[in-house]
């Protein structure tokens, strides 16, 4: 067998690796660096941004008005992640213990929403939640069959915080189910059977055996769900009211309506710093779990 010369190997690596590296630098890192520099600048004119090195935009982002919106966004994202975990864990367990044919069909059902545009799915949810939507129409039809109840008042299911959380769960639930399934499907089933044979109930086995063993996948699912939910823009914009806007909607207004790119850049990078912190936390938890594994 002929061995390839080191110089030729480097040439092949350069030919295959250089284009994606250039693409990453030119179309991702360079624009990101520009926006990061803008976060330390100020508007001089409508089209001129001076990089002053000031932290004023970050200080402004932490004022009570914007801090309250940021905390509300964190609350929405945390609640969405919690609900997705509660709903997604049984689904992931059912998929992992299903027969091969059923497993394929269930995974297809979980991934099916990814094949439909998010805007279309959100409008479909609006048709369900609105005042004349399917839920209120169905309840109203049942209400009218009961004598003596009077006229039915439609439930306020849209343009509020409830609609935002429902929409976020609806959009991000597959992001939780797939990592959970990937972690649960790799578990040693003999450990679960041993726990049940030794007298532990199903709930005890779930929380004392399954959850600790699947912890890296659970953490991954939480991070993958929490980060996109925190930066969600379309869902609160279409389903939320004036008091249900999230930080991404504020960022959009700074770039488009207010033409305050430096402040919008500072808000954007606050979200990015939170993302880095979440990824660091995930890495520490996974590393600690791996270090404590037998």
């Amino acid at each position: 067998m002929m061995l390839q010369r080191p110089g030729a190997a480097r040439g092949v690596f350069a030919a295959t690796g250089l284009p994606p590296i250039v693409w990453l630098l030119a179309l991702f890192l360079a624009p990101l660096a520009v926006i990061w520099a803008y976060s330390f600048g100020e508007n001089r004119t409508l089209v001129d941004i001076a990089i002053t090195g000031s932290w004023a935009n970050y200080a402004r982002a932490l004022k009570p008005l914007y801090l309250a919106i940021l905390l509300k966004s964190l609350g929405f994202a945390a609640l969405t992640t919690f609900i997705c975990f509660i709903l997604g864990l049984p689904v992931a367990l059912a998929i992992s213990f299903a027969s091969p044919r059923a497993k394929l069909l269930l995974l297809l059902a979980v991934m099916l929403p990814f094949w439909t545009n998010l805007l279309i799915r959100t409008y479909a949810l609006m048709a369900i939640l609105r005042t004349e939507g399917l839920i209120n129409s169905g309840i109203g039809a049942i209400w009218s069959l009961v004598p003596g109840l009077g006229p039915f008042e439609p439930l306020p299911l849209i343009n509020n915080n409830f609609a935002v959380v429902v929409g976020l769960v609806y959009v991000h639930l597959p992001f939780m189910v797939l990592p959970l399934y990937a972690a649960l499907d790799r578990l040693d089933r003999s450990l679960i059977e041993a726990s049940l044979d030794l007298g532990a109930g199903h709930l005890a086995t779930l929380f004392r055996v399954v959850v600790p063993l699947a912890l890296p996948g659970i953490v991954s699912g939480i991070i993958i769900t929490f980060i996109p939910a925190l930066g969600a823009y379309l869902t609160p914009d279409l389903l939320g009211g004036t008091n249900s806007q999230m930080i991404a909607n504020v960022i959009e207004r700074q770039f488009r309506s207010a033409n305050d790119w430096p402040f919008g850049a500072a808000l954007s990078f606050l979200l990015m710093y939170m993302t880095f912190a979440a990824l660091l936390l995930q890495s520490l938890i996974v590393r600690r779990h791996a270090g404590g594994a037998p």
Side-chain angles (χ1 to χ4, degrees), residues 4-230:
Q4 195 173 29
R5 291 182 292 109
R10 286 195 294 268
V12 172
F13 175 77
T16 57
L18 190 60
I21 292 174
V22 171
W23 182 90
L24 181 66
L25 291 174
L27 299 180
F28 179 71
L29 294 180
L32 200 63
V34 172
I35 297 298
W36 181 74
Y38 281 173
S39 69
F40 298 97
E42 63 179 16
N43 282 339
R44 292 290 172 81
T45 65
L46 289 177
V47 295
D48 182 25
I49 298 176
I51 309 301
T52 61
S54 171
W55 292 83
N57 292 309
Y58 290 97
R60 179 184 171 191
L62 297 178
K63 287 185 176 180
L65 173 63
Y66 300 106
L67 187 59
I69 298 175
L70 180 59
L71 293 176
K72 180 189 294 185
S73 302
L74 287 169
F76 280 158
L79 180 58
T80 298
T81 304
F82 175 74
I83 296 175
C84 285
F85 177 73
I86 296 300
L87 298 177
L89 183 60
V91 175
L93 282 170
I95 296 175
S96 62
F97 284 95
S99 64
R101 180 179 177 83
K103 183 180 297 186
L104 180 62
L105 294 176
L106 290 172
L107 285 175
L108 182 64
V110 171
M111 293 185 291
L112 193 61
F114 292 118
W115 299 351
T116 307
N117 185 272
L118 175 59
L119 184 62
I120 296 175
R121 285 186 282 150
T122 305
Y123 274 114
L125 188 59
M126 291 173 63
I128 295 174
L129 297 178
R130 64 184 181 178
T131 304
E132 302 83 8
L134 296 178
I135 293 179
N136 277 314
S137 297
I139 296 176
I142 298 174
W143 188 279
S144 63
L145 298 177
V146 181
L149 291 181
F152 171 69
E153 293 292 334
L155 300 175
L157 301 178
I158 201 169
N159 296 327
N160 50 36
N161 295 341
F162 169 80
V164 173
V165 174
V166 169
L168 290 175
V169 171
Y170 169 67
V171 170
H172 295 93
L173 184 58
F175 292 99
M176 178 65 77
V177 172
L178 293 177
L180 289 179
Y181 159 74
L184 294 171
D185 196 52
R186 294 194 299 265
L187 291 182
D188 187 353
R189 305 294 173 85
S190 63
L191 297 176
I192 300 176
E193 294 173 358
S195 175
L196 294 174
D197 291 341
L198 291 173
H202 288 84
L203 284 178
T205 301
L206 175 64
F207 289 105
R208 295 185 180 181
V209 178
V210 175
V211 170
L213 291 176
L215 185 60
I218 293 174
V219 174
S220 297
I222 290 173
I223 297 298
I224 293 173
T225 304
F226 179 81
I227 291 175
L230 179 60

Side-chain angles (χ1 to χ4, degrees), residues 246-256 264-265 267-268 271:
M246 295 177 64
I247 192 65
N249 304 105
V250 178
I251 294 173
E252 184 269 344
R253 286 198 296 270
Q254 300 306 316
F255 279 100
R256 295 189 60 186
L267 290 173
S268 301
L271 285 184

